[in-house]
Every structure is written in C-alpha cells, then in structure tokens.
Amino acid sequence: MTKLERAERPDMPTEAAQAHRFGKARSAQSAALLEDYVELISDLMASVGEARPTDVARRLGVSHATAIKTISRLKREGLATSRPYRGVFLTDDGEALAERVRKRHRLVVDLLVAVGVPGDCAEADAEGIEHHVSDVALAAFRDFLARR
Amino acid sequence: MTKLERAERPDMPTEAAQAHRFGKARSAQSAALLEDYVELISDLMASVGEARPTDVARRLGVSHATAIKTISRLKREGLATSRPYRGVFLTDDGEALAERVRKRHRLVVDLLVAVGVPGDCAEADAEGIEHHVSDVALAAFRDFLARR
DNA sequence: CTGAAATTGTAGCCTCGTCTACATTTTGGT
DNA sequence: ACCAAAATGTAGACGAGGCTACAATTTCAG
Ligand SMILES: [Mn+2]
Ligand SMILES: [Mn+2]
Ligand SMILES: [Mn+2]
Ligand SMILES: [Mn+2]
C-alpha cells in the first residue's frame, strides 16, 4: 500500500489538528470530575449549609471511600479544605470554579432546551456535555439565547 | 446541623436522580475512547485504504504503545480484528458503531455551527461533546436543523 | 449518660489509559 | 540481496478512579 499524500484525502483533518483536538478532549475529561465535585459541594453548602462526604458520595452515586479520595485530590489541587469529621469547604479558588461551572451548566441546559431537547434529557446530557464546551462556544450559546 | 427535608431544598434534584445522571455521564465517558478509535479507524480505511496502529496513534496524539493496547481492548470487545504486523480491521459491529458515531459527530458539529459556534471551535468541542449526546437529544438536533 | 447507629477515615485491590524502554518484524533504497 | 530505518509488539511503571472490608470517631435516642 503506497503512502498517500495529504492532498489526496481532503476529507480528513491534518494529523496535527486532529491530535490536538483529541488532546483537548482528553484534558477536558480529566478536569470533569473535579468540576462536578466543586459544583456539587457548592450547591450543598448553599442549600443545606454544609457538604459532608457521605452526601457528596450519595449524590454522585459512588462509595463514600471514593468520594473521600477524590476530595483529597481537591485539597491537593487547592480547591477545598477539610478537617477530620468536619465537612468539606471550598477555597476561594474552589468557589470561583464552582461559580463558573454552575453558570456553564445552566447555560448548556438552556441551550439544549432552546433547540428542542426535553428538560430531563437536557439535564442528563448536560452533565457530561458541559465539560467539553469552550468559552467561545459558551459565548455563542449566550448570543443565540439572547436573540432567538 | 439538623437534617433538612427534600421539600426544603427544591432547587436541587433528588439524590437518586442526580446520582443516576452522574452515572450516565461516567459510563458515556468510558465508551468515548472506543468510539473515537472505531470512528478514526473507519475514516482511515475509507480514505487511505488501511488503518495502521502508528497512524492511529499519531492522529490521536498518543504513543503507539497506547494505541496498540487500546486496539487490543477493541478486539476484546468484538469491535475490531488484527493480525500481527497487518493493519486493524473493524468487525461488522465495529463498522456499525463507527457509522453511528460518525453521523452523530457530524450532527453535533452542524448543530453547534447552526447556533453560531465558529467552525474550528465546533469541530474541537464536538470531539468531546458527541459522546454525551443521547439519542433523544440527537433527534431534537435533527428537527431543529430541519426547521430552522 | 451511655451504647448503638451513622459517619468518617484507612487499607488494599482492580481496571483503564497513559508513558518509556526495549525487542522483533517488515520494508525499502542501494 | 542486504541492511538500515520504520513499524509493530511487549514489558513494566504510574496515576486516576472505582470498589469492599474494616477501624475509628461522632451523634443521638432512650
Ligand atoms: Mn458534569
Ligand atoms: Mn454539572
Ligand atoms: Mn470524540
Ligand atoms: Mn468524533
């Protein structure tokens, strides 16, 4: 099989461009878990006044051991603090991230609903989609919602 | 801190619903890598006539060792076959999945563009988003594109 | 005030996805 | 036909994220 030149397959992106896109998606994924945690912790603090590991675990559908381990990663990354047997608290960085993530989540849901996706489905899909929506796309979503 | 009842925090979903959504997003993520591989392999077969591990690795931006290991997972799951030093081939199941994934990818890009996201950005974001778009949402996207 | 239940924490195991380093096989230019 | 270069495959390490099992602490009902 002889090697084909780039020009002979104009339907595919260049190797470099494609590799870059896949790399982006991979790193978005690695941030996704932390984003969900800080958003959830922030929501729990706002609605029940505290975020306890067990609640976090139940809401995420994982074991409490898993939640605790991820929370320690949050601490390692400077997004949260906690003392033994006390709840989890977000640092300023953590709270700022939560804020951004919460807004993004809402915007994604709104966009999905605006293009005709049923509410529950929009909520469910947004939970995964949100982590892959760039700032540029978010801005486009805002514009679209404003002028539709 | 006394326990609050569900009714007192109407702004959050129930624990069960939320856990279910997060679980969905997690399993979508675990399928994402295989989806990207079969789509890429199928594209390579169509445009250059074969899919070799090194090409797959370069396009994904990972080492060839990583690509080979993931390809063996593809084989384990019945999506691909390969013989030593020959290229990779998709099974009927693999080809069917590739077809679905390719259509979904295009539809997601088209939807993003239709709501105003710039082309390159749409392509980049779609690479991650596509794996989290349910069939129901896809149908809504199709309708939206048809009648906009 | 006290002991059972709930919560929190720790330890150890697994799989997946990534890498580097090295070994083997195939390919292609002379 | 040969040998160097490219491609392919294998081995071993690591971190993330999940689990179960068990230990320690805190909370609360009686
Ligand atoms: Mn999410
Ligand atoms: Mn979210
Ligand atoms: Mn993808
Ligand atoms: Mn894709």
mmCIF file with all atom_site columns, all heavy atoms in Angstrom, chain B residues 13-33:
data_model
loop_
_atom_site.group_PDB
_atom_site.id
_atom_site.type_symbol
_atom_site.label_atom_id
_atom_site.label_alt_id
_atom_site.label_comp_id
_atom_site.label_asym_id
_atom_site.label_entity_id
_atom_site.label_seq_id
_atom_site.pdbx_PDB_ins_code
_atom_site.Cartn_x
_atom_site.Cartn_y
_atom_site.Cartn_z
_atom_site.occupancy
_atom_site.B_iso_or_equiv
_atom_site.pdbx_formal_charge
_atom_site.auth_seq_id
_atom_site.auth_comp_id
_atom_site.auth_asym_id
_atom_site.auth_atom_id
_atom_site.pdbx_PDB_model_num
ATOM 1   N N   . PRO B 1 13 ? -31.956 18.605 42.482 1.00 0.00 ? 13 PRO B N   1
ATOM 2   C CA  . PRO B 1 13 ? -32.640 17.350 42.126 1.00 0.00 ? 13 PRO B CA  1
ATOM 3   C C   . PRO B 1 13 ? -32.569 16.371 43.289 1.00 0.00 ? 13 PRO B C   1
ATOM 4   O O   . PRO B 1 13 ? -31.795 16.559 44.223 1.00 0.00 ? 13 PRO B O   1
ATOM 5   C CB  . PRO B 1 13 ? -31.832 16.829 40.933 1.00 0.00 ? 13 PRO B CB  1
ATOM 6   C CG  . PRO B 1 13 ? -30.522 17.547 40.981 1.00 0.00 ? 13 PRO B CG  1
ATOM 7   C CD  . PRO B 1 13 ? -30.753 18.836 41.686 1.00 0.00 ? 13 PRO B CD  1
ATOM 8   N N   . THR B 1 14 ? -33.365 15.329 43.256 1.00 0.00 ? 14 THR B N   1
ATOM 9   C CA  . THR B 1 14 ? -33.278 14.306 44.297 1.00 0.00 ? 14 THR B CA  1
ATOM 10  C C   . THR B 1 14 ? -31.925 13.620 44.186 1.00 0.00 ? 14 THR B C   1
ATOM 11  O O   . THR B 1 14 ? -31.293 13.613 43.134 1.00 0.00 ? 14 THR B O   1
ATOM 12  C CB  . THR B 1 14 ? -34.348 13.216 44.119 1.00 0.00 ? 14 THR B CB  1
ATOM 13  O OG1 . THR B 1 14 ? -34.163 12.616 42.845 1.00 0.00 ? 14 THR B OG1 1
ATOM 14  C CG2 . THR B 1 14 ? -35.727 13.801 44.215 1.00 0.00 ? 14 THR B CG2 1
ATOM 15  N N   . GLU B 1 15 ? -31.526 13.022 45.307 1.00 0.00 ? 15 GLU B N   1
ATOM 16  C CA  . GLU B 1 15 ? -30.262 12.285 45.312 1.00 0.00 ? 15 GLU B CA  1
ATOM 17  C C   . GLU B 1 15 ? -30.244 11.225 44.232 1.00 0.00 ? 15 GLU B C   1
ATOM 18  O O   . GLU B 1 15 ? -29.272 11.101 43.478 1.00 0.00 ? 15 GLU B O   1
ATOM 19  C CB  . GLU B 1 15 ? -30.055 11.594 46.660 1.00 0.00 ? 15 GLU B CB  1
ATOM 20  C CG  . GLU B 1 15 ? -29.499 12.510 47.717 1.00 0.00 ? 15 GLU B CG  1
ATOM 21  C CD  . GLU B 1 15 ? -29.357 11.816 49.060 1.00 0.00 ? 15 GLU B CD  1
ATOM 22  O OE1 . GLU B 1 15 ? -29.660 10.602 49.157 1.00 0.00 ? 15 GLU B OE1 1
ATOM 23  O OE2 . GLU B 1 15 ? -28.954 12.484 50.023 1.00 0.00 ? 15 GLU B OE2 1
ATOM 24  N N   . ALA B 1 16 ? -31.318 10.458 44.149 1.00 0.00 ? 16 ALA B N   1
ATOM 25  C CA  . ALA B 1 16 ? -31.347 9.350  43.192 1.00 0.00 ? 16 ALA B CA  1
ATOM 26  C C   . ALA B 1 16 ? -31.216 9.844  41.756 1.00 0.00 ? 16 ALA B C   1
ATOM 27  O O   . ALA B 1 16 ? -30.442 9.296  40.965 1.00 0.00 ? 16 ALA B O   1
ATOM 28  C CB  . ALA B 1 16 ? -32.635 8.558  43.354 1.00 0.00 ? 16 ALA B CB  1
ATOM 29  N N   . ALA B 1 17 ? -31.956 10.902 41.440 1.00 0.00 ? 17 ALA B N   1
ATOM 30  C CA  . ALA B 1 17 ? -31.912 11.429 40.073 1.00 0.00 ? 17 ALA B CA  1
ATOM 31  C C   . ALA B 1 17 ? -30.525 11.930 39.734 1.00 0.00 ? 17 ALA B C   1
ATOM 32  O O   . ALA B 1 17 ? -29.990 11.669 38.651 1.00 0.00 ? 17 ALA B O   1
ATOM 33  C CB  . ALA B 1 17 ? -32.934 12.551 39.916 1.00 0.00 ? 17 ALA B CB  1
ATOM 34  N N   . GLN B 1 18 ? -29.951 12.649 40.688 1.00 0.00 ? 18 GLN B N   1
ATOM 35  C CA  . GLN B 1 18 ? -28.633 13.219 40.441 1.00 0.00 ? 18 GLN B CA  1
ATOM 36  C C   . GLN B 1 18 ? -27.581 12.114 40.298 1.00 0.00 ? 18 GLN B C   1
ATOM 37  O O   . GLN B 1 18 ? -26.742 12.158 39.383 1.00 0.00 ? 18 GLN B O   1
ATOM 38  C CB  . GLN B 1 18 ? -28.265 14.159 41.583 1.00 0.00 ? 18 GLN B CB  1
ATOM 39  C CG  . GLN B 1 18 ? -27.104 15.084 41.248 1.00 0.00 ? 18 GLN B CG  1
ATOM 40  C CD  . GLN B 1 18 ? -27.009 16.243 42.226 1.00 0.00 ? 18 GLN B CD  1
ATOM 41  O OE1 . GLN B 1 18 ? -27.560 16.201 43.320 1.00 0.00 ? 18 GLN B OE1 1
ATOM 42  N NE2 . GLN B 1 18 ? -26.300 17.279 41.827 1.00 0.00 ? 18 GLN B NE2 1
ATOM 43  N N   . ALA B 1 19 ? -27.653 11.118 41.163 1.00 0.00 ? 19 ALA B N   1
ATOM 44  C CA  . ALA B 1 19 ? -26.699 10.004 41.089 1.00 0.00 ? 19 ALA B CA  1
ATOM 45  C C   . ALA B 1 19 ? -26.821 9.291  39.746 1.00 0.00 ? 19 ALA B C   1
ATOM 46  O O   . ALA B 1 19 ? -25.829 8.894  39.141 1.00 0.00 ? 19 ALA B O   1
ATOM 47  C CB  . ALA B 1 19 ? -26.949 9.020  42.229 1.00 0.00 ? 19 ALA B CB  1
ATOM 48  N N   . HIS B 1 20 ? -28.057 9.145  39.282 1.00 0.00 ? 20 HIS B N   1
ATOM 49  C CA  . HIS B 1 20 ? -28.278 8.482  38.007 1.00 0.00 ? 20 HIS B CA  1
ATOM 50  C C   . HIS B 1 20 ? -27.636 9.265  36.863 1.00 0.00 ? 20 HIS B C   1
ATOM 51  O O   . HIS B 1 20 ? -26.982 8.703  35.988 1.00 0.00 ? 20 HIS B O   1
ATOM 52  C CB  . HIS B 1 20 ? -29.781 8.318  37.767 1.00 0.00 ? 20 HIS B CB  1
ATOM 53  C CG  . HIS B 1 20 ? -30.114 7.503  36.560 1.00 0.00 ? 20 HIS B CG  1
ATOM 54  N ND1 . HIS B 1 20 ? -30.529 8.077  35.377 1.00 0.00 ? 20 HIS B ND1 1
ATOM 55  C CD2 . HIS B 1 20 ? -30.057 6.170  36.338 1.00 0.00 ? 20 HIS B CD2 1
ATOM 56  C CE1 . HIS B 1 20 ? -30.723 7.113  34.481 1.00 0.00 ? 20 HIS B CE1 1
ATOM 57  N NE2 . HIS B 1 20 ? -30.449 5.957  35.033 1.00 0.00 ? 20 HIS B NE2 1
ATOM 58  N N   . ARG B 1 21 ? -27.792 10.582 36.887 1.00 0.00 ? 21 ARG B N   1
ATOM 59  C CA  . ARG B 1 21 ? -27.192 11.417 35.841 1.00 0.00 ? 21 ARG B CA  1
ATOM 60  C C   . ARG B 1 21 ? -25.682 11.318 35.836 1.00 0.00 ? 21 ARG B C   1
ATOM 61  O O   . ARG B 1 21 ? -25.059 11.176 34.790 1.00 0.00 ? 21 ARG B O   1
ATOM 62  C CB  . ARG B 1 21 ? -27.571 12.884 36.065 1.00 0.00 ? 21 ARG B CB  1
ATOM 63  C CG  . ARG B 1 21 ? -28.936 13.223 35.533 1.00 0.00 ? 21 ARG B CG  1
ATOM 64  C CD  . ARG B 1 21 ? -29.349 14.602 35.996 1.00 0.00 ? 21 ARG B CD  1
ATOM 65  N NE  . ARG B 1 21 ? -30.800 14.714 35.978 1.00 0.00 ? 21 ARG B NE  1
ATOM 66  C CZ  . ARG B 1 21 ? -31.477 15.663 36.574 1.00 0.00 ? 21 ARG B CZ  1
ATOM 67  N NH1 . ARG B 1 21 ? -30.842 16.601 37.265 1.00 0.00 ? 21 ARG B NH1 1
ATOM 68  N NH2 . ARG B 1 21 ? -32.796 15.701 36.501 1.00 0.00 ? 21 ARG B NH2 1
ATOM 69  N N   . PHE B 1 22 ? -25.105 11.397 37.021 1.00 0.00 ? 22 PHE B N   1
ATOM 70  C CA  . PHE B 1 22 ? -23.646 11.305 37.094 1.00 0.00 ? 22 PHE B CA  1
ATOM 71  C C   . PHE B 1 22 ? -23.179 9.931  36.609 1.00 0.00 ? 22 PHE B C   1
ATOM 72  O O   . PHE B 1 22 ? -22.160 9.818  35.910 1.00 0.00 ? 22 PHE B O   1
ATOM 73  C CB  . PHE B 1 22 ? -23.153 11.567 38.517 1.00 0.00 ? 22 PHE B CB  1
ATOM 74  C CG  . PHE B 1 22 ? -23.126 13.034 38.890 1.00 0.00 ? 22 PHE B CG  1
ATOM 75  C CD1 . PHE B 1 22 ? -23.816 13.507 39.990 1.00 0.00 ? 22 PHE B CD1 1
ATOM 76  C CD2 . PHE B 1 22 ? -22.386 13.943 38.137 1.00 0.00 ? 22 PHE B CD2 1
ATOM 77  C CE1 . PHE B 1 22 ? -23.784 14.859 40.341 1.00 0.00 ? 22 PHE B CE1 1
ATOM 78  C CE2 . PHE B 1 22 ? -22.349 15.299 38.471 1.00 0.00 ? 22 PHE B CE2 1
ATOM 79  C CZ  . PHE B 1 22 ? -23.054 15.749 39.582 1.00 0.00 ? 22 PHE B CZ  1
ATOM 80  N N   . GLY B 1 23 ? -23.931 8.905  36.955 1.00 0.00 ? 23 GLY B N   1
ATOM 81  C CA  . GLY B 1 23 ? -23.562 7.556  36.499 1.00 0.00 ? 23 GLY B CA  1
ATOM 82  C C   . GLY B 1 23 ? -23.607 7.458  34.982 1.00 0.00 ? 23 GLY B C   1
ATOM 83  O O   . GLY B 1 23 ? -22.713 6.869  34.366 1.00 0.00 ? 23 GLY B O   1
ATOM 84  N N   . LYS B 1 24 ? -24.624 8.046  34.400 1.00 0.00 ? 24 LYS B N   1
ATOM 85  C CA  . LYS B 1 24 ? -24.736 8.081  32.936 1.00 0.00 ? 24 LYS B CA  1
ATOM 86  C C   . LYS B 1 24 ? -23.517 8.743  32.318 1.00 0.00 ? 24 LYS B C   1
ATOM 87  O O   . LYS B 1 24 ? -22.921 8.215  31.373 1.00 0.00 ? 24 LYS B O   1
ATOM 88  C CB  . LYS B 1 24 ? -25.981 8.889  32.518 1.00 0.00 ? 24 LYS B CB  1
ATOM 89  C CG  . LYS B 1 24 ? -27.262 8.091  32.378 1.00 0.00 ? 24 LYS B CG  1
ATOM 90  C CD  . LYS B 1 24 ? -27.300 7.292  31.089 1.00 0.00 ? 24 LYS B CD  1
ATOM 91  C CE  . LYS B 1 24 ? -28.645 6.667  30.796 1.00 0.00 ? 24 LYS B CE  1
ATOM 92  N NZ  . LYS B 1 24 ? -29.700 7.642  30.575 1.00 0.00 ? 24 LYS B NZ  1
ATOM 93  N N   . ALA B 1 25 ? -23.161 9.886  32.852 1.00 0.00 ? 25 ALA B N   1
ATOM 94  C CA  . ALA B 1 25 ? -22.015 10.619 32.310 1.00 0.00 ? 25 ALA B CA  1
ATOM 95  C C   . ALA B 1 25 ? -20.741 9.789  32.441 1.00 0.00 ? 25 ALA B C   1
ATOM 96  O O   . ALA B 1 25 ? -19.915 9.749  31.530 1.00 0.00 ? 25 ALA B O   1
ATOM 97  C CB  . ALA B 1 25 ? -21.857 11.964 33.027 1.00 0.00 ? 25 ALA B CB  1
ATOM 98  N N   . ARG B 1 26 ? -20.611 9.081  33.576 1.00 0.00 ? 26 ARG B N   1
ATOM 99  C CA  . ARG B 1 26 ? -19.413 8.244  33.749 1.00 0.00 ? 26 ARG B CA  1
ATOM 100 C C   . ARG B 1 26 ? -19.353 7.125  32.727 1.00 0.00 ? 26 ARG B C   1
ATOM 101 O O   . ARG B 1 26 ? -18.296 6.849  32.149 1.00 0.00 ? 26 ARG B O   1
ATOM 102 C CB  . ARG B 1 26 ? -19.377 7.656  35.168 1.00 0.00 ? 26 ARG B CB  1
ATOM 103 C CG  . ARG B 1 26 ? -18.755 8.577  36.206 1.00 0.00 ? 26 ARG B CG  1
ATOM 104 C CD  . ARG B 1 26 ? -18.403 7.830  37.497 1.00 0.00 ? 26 ARG B CD  1
ATOM 105 N NE  . ARG B 1 26 ? -19.552 7.181  38.107 1.00 0.00 ? 26 ARG B NE  1
ATOM 106 C CZ  . ARG B 1 26 ? -20.370 7.776  38.968 1.00 0.00 ? 26 ARG B CZ  1
ATOM 107 N NH1 . ARG B 1 26 ? -20.173 9.037  39.317 1.00 0.00 ? 26 ARG B NH1 1
ATOM 108 N NH2 . ARG B 1 26 ? -21.383 7.131  39.487 1.00 0.00 ? 26 ARG B NH2 1
ATOM 109 N N   . SER B 1 27 ? -20.483 6.471  32.468 1.00 0.00 ? 27 SER B N   1
ATOM 110 C CA  . SER B 1 27 ? -20.383 5.360  31.523 1.00 0.00 ? 27 SER B CA  1
ATOM 111 C C   . SER B 1 27 ? -20.215 5.868  30.094 1.00 0.00 ? 27 SER B C   1
ATOM 112 O O   . SER B 1 27 ? -19.530 5.240  29.281 1.00 0.00 ? 27 SER B O   1
ATOM 113 C CB  . SER B 1 27 ? -21.565 4.396  31.663 1.00 0.00 ? 27 SER B CB  1
ATOM 114 O OG  . SER B 1 27 ? -22.765 5.054  31.396 1.00 0.00 ? 27 SER B OG  1
ATOM 115 N N   . ALA B 1 28 ? -20.818 7.019  29.793 1.00 0.00 ? 28 ALA B N   1
ATOM 116 C CA  . ALA B 1 28 ? -20.587 7.608  28.465 1.00 0.00 ? 28 ALA B CA  1
ATOM 117 C C   . ALA B 1 28 ? -19.108 7.843  28.272 1.00 0.00 ? 28 ALA B C   1
ATOM 118 O O   . ALA B 1 28 ? -18.537 7.570  27.213 1.00 0.00 ? 28 ALA B O   1
ATOM 119 C CB  . ALA B 1 28 ? -21.350 8.931  28.332 1.00 0.00 ? 28 ALA B CB  1
ATOM 120 N N   . GLN B 1 29 ? -18.464 8.317  29.323 1.00 0.00 ? 29 GLN B N   1
ATOM 121 C CA  . GLN B 1 29 ? -17.046 8.589  29.229 1.00 0.00 ? 29 GLN B CA  1
ATOM 122 C C   . GLN B 1 29 ? -16.243 7.328  28.950 1.00 0.00 ? 29 GLN B C   1
ATOM 123 O O   . GLN B 1 29 ? -15.311 7.341  28.151 1.00 0.00 ? 29 GLN B O   1
ATOM 124 C CB  . GLN B 1 29 ? -16.552 9.241  30.520 1.00 0.00 ? 29 GLN B CB  1
ATOM 125 C CG  . GLN B 1 29 ? -15.184 9.818  30.372 1.00 0.00 ? 29 GLN B CG  1
ATOM 126 C CD  . GLN B 1 29 ? -15.076 10.653 29.105 1.00 0.00 ? 29 GLN B CD  1
ATOM 127 O OE1 . GLN B 1 29 ? -15.948 11.437 28.786 1.00 0.00 ? 29 GLN B OE1 1
ATOM 128 N NE2 . GLN B 1 29 ? -14.016 10.452 28.343 1.00 0.00 ? 29 GLN B NE2 1
ATOM 129 N N   . SER B 1 30 ? -16.637 6.236  29.587 1.00 0.00 ? 30 SER B N   1
ATOM 130 C CA  . SER B 1 30 ? -15.859 5.017  29.411 1.00 0.00 ? 30 SER B CA  1
ATOM 131 C C   . SER B 1 30 ? -16.013 4.469  27.987 1.00 0.00 ? 30 SER B C   1
ATOM 132 O O   . SER B 1 30 ? -15.132 3.783  27.467 1.00 0.00 ? 30 SER B O   1
ATOM 133 C CB  . SER B 1 30 ? -16.230 4.004  30.486 1.00 0.00 ? 30 SER B CB  1
ATOM 134 O OG  . SER B 1 30 ? -16.780 2.847  29.933 1.00 0.00 ? 30 SER B OG  1
ATOM 135 N N   . ALA B 1 31 ? -17.151 4.804  27.345 1.00 0.00 ? 31 ALA B N   1
ATOM 136 C CA  . ALA B 1 31 ? -17.350 4.366  25.956 1.00 0.00 ? 31 ALA B CA  1
ATOM 137 C C   . ALA B 1 31 ? -16.659 5.294  24.968 1.00 0.00 ? 31 ALA B C   1
ATOM 138 O O   . ALA B 1 31 ? -16.373 4.910  23.839 1.00 0.00 ? 31 ALA B O   1
ATOM 139 C CB  . ALA B 1 31 ? -18.849 4.310  25.650 1.00 0.00 ? 31 ALA B CB  1
ATOM 140 N N   . ALA B 1 32 ? -16.358 6.507  25.405 1.00 0.00 ? 32 ALA B N   1
ATOM 141 C CA  . ALA B 1 32 ? -15.871 7.551  24.493 1.00 0.00 ? 32 ALA B CA  1
ATOM 142 C C   . ALA B 1 32 ? -14.609 7.145  23.744 1.00 0.00 ? 32 ALA B C   1
ATOM 143 O O   . ALA B 1 32 ? -14.498 7.341  22.530 1.00 0.00 ? 32 ALA B O   1
ATOM 144 C CB  . ALA B 1 32 ? -15.629 8.843  25.265 1.00 0.00 ? 32 ALA B CB  1
ATOM 145 N N   . LEU B 1 33 ? -13.665 6.576  24.464 1.00 0.00 ? 33 LEU B N   1
ATOM 146 C CA  . LEU B 1 33 ? -12.401 6.250  23.828 1.00 0.00 ? 33 LEU B CA  1
ATOM 147 C C   . LEU B 1 33 ? -12.590 5.238  22.698 1.00 0.00 ? 33 LEU B C   1
ATOM 148 O O   . LEU B 1 33 ? -12.069 5.414  21.594 1.00 0.00 ? 33 LEU B O   1
ATOM 149 C CB  . LEU B 1 33 ? -11.423 5.692  24.872 1.00 0.00 ? 33 LEU B CB  1
ATOM 150 C CG  . LEU B 1 33 ? -9.992  5.578  24.374 1.00 0.00 ? 33 LEU B CG  1
ATOM 151 C CD1 . LEU B 1 33 ? -9.353  6.947  24.257 1.00 0.00 ? 33 LEU B CD1 1
ATOM 152 C CD2 . LEU B 1 33 ? -9.178  4.697  25.301 1.00 0.00 ? 33 LEU B CD2 1
#
